[in-house]
């Protein structure tokens, strides 16, 4: 199964506090921040680098301090050209990197591509696309759309450090469900009626990918991910 948690760090998103860029507010457009050569101008580059890659990070890391900004790679792509890129320590554009929940956005986009190609329909029931996957009878009518919007009603516990012994995400990633994360999620009970409540769930994203692979088969699934989606980015 394609695991979007291991995408290259070339794909990066940075959300920056506007207070860090007060001096840039007078600029009318992003193009005004570029040099004559089309790259990010040196002043802006230095400001961005100092913010995203603080010089004291390595020393803090050696002391076990994980506070502050900890960017591993940042790329800015503007009008068909990379205008800025910087990496932390030994990281490079080719370093495999956990994308964690950024992969949820890739998953939802992939389902949009699949629907555009008439491979699935978001209103279809999971029981139609992957018969037998959702063993709980309460889940027989949940739809792809409900999983995409995290409103399936599955009784999912997303907690991490506060209660690791009662965490579905810990169980899925590292213990009971690590061999088949989608199946682990599919076997959970339901807490609410589908489409009545949003509940953030890493399990539902893994279940979606499991359904897609089960429905399409290995060969078409791989083609969808690499040829129809990622290869066109």
């Amino acid at each position: 199964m394609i695991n979007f948690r291991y995408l290259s760090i070339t794909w990066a998103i940075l959300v920056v506090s506007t207070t860090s860029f007060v001096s840039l507010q007078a600029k009318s457009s992003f193009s005004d921040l570029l040099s004559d050569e089309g790259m990010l101008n040196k002043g802006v580059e230095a400001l961005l680098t100092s913010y995203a890659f603080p010089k004291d990070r390595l020393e803090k890391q050696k002391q076990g301090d994980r506070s502050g900004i900890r960017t591993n790679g940042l790329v800015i792509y503007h009008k068909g050209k990379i205008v800025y890129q910087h990496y932390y320590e030994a990281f490079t554009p080719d370093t495999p990197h956990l994308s964690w929940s950024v992969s949820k956005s890739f998953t939802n986009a992939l389902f949009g591509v699949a629907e555009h190609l008439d491979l699935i329909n978001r209103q279809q029931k999971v029981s139609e696309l992957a018969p037998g996957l959702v063993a709980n009878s309460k889940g027989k009518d949940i739809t792809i759309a409900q999983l995409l919007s995290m409103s399936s009603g599955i009784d999912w516990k997303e907690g991490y450090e506060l209660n690791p012994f009662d965490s579905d995400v810990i169980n899925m990633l590292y213990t009971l469900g690590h061999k088949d994360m989608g199946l682990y999620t599919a076997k959970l009970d339901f807490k609410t009626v589908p489409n009545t409540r949003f509940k953030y769930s890493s399990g539902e994203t893994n279940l979606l990918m499991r359904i897609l692979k089960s429905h399409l088969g290995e060969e078409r699934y791989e083609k969808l991910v690499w040829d129809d989606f990622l290869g066109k980015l």
Side-chain angles (χ1 to χ4, degrees), residues 46-202:
L47 182 61
L48 181 57
T49 301
S50 65
Y51 176 85
F53 303 90
K55 293 181 178 179
D56 64 345
R57 175 182 169 181
L58 184 58
E59 188 57 38
K60 291 170 66 175
Q61 186 173 305
K62 291 177 180 178
Q63 298 172 9
D65 184 353
R66 293 170 55 83
S67 64
I69 304 298
R70 294 183 291 115
T71 310
N72 291 334
L74 175 60
V75 175
I76 298 178
Y77 190 78
H78 179 65
K79 292 185 177 180
K81 179 181 179 180
I82 293 177
V83 300
Y84 171 91
Q85 63 178 321
H86 191 89
Y87 302 93
Y88 175 70
E89 291 294 313
F91 286 93
T92 74
D94 300 315
T95 305
H97 194 289
L98 287 168
S99 64
W100 293 108
S101 289
V102 172
S103 62
K104 291 182 172 68
S105 297
F106 281 93
T107 298
N108 280 32
L110 180 67
F111 270 80
V113 173
E115 184 162 359
H116 176 72
L117 295 173
D118 293 324
L119 297 175
I120 55 102
N121 183 298
R122 78 190 77 173
Q123 300 308 327
Q124 285 180 280
K125 296 178 180 179
V126 171
S127 56
E128 297 172 3
L129 294 172
L133 182 58
V134 179
N136 193 311
S137 60
K138 294 180 182 178
K140 63 183 177 63
D141 292 327
I142 63 171
T143 65
I144 294 298
Q146 289 163 358
L147 289 173
L148 288 169
S149 61
M150 298 185 183
S151 61
S152 69
I154 292 175
D155 188 11
W156 177 264
K157 301 178 183 66
E158 184 74 20
Y160 290 81
E161 292 88 350
L162 292 179
N163 193 359
F165 298 107
D166 188 31
S167 167
D168 285 311
V169 73
I170 297 296
N171 285 336
M172 179 186 73
L173 291 173
Y174 304 112
T175 60
L176 300 176
H178 75 280
K179 291 184 178 180
D180 192 330
M181 299 182 191
L183 184 60
Y184 171 84
T185 306
K187 289 182 176 180
L188 294 175
D189 202 352
F190 283 72
K191 188 172 185 178
T192 59
V193 175
N195 209 35
T196 60
R197 179 185 174 189
F198 167 82
K199 188 173 185 181
Y200 186 85
S201 169
S202 296

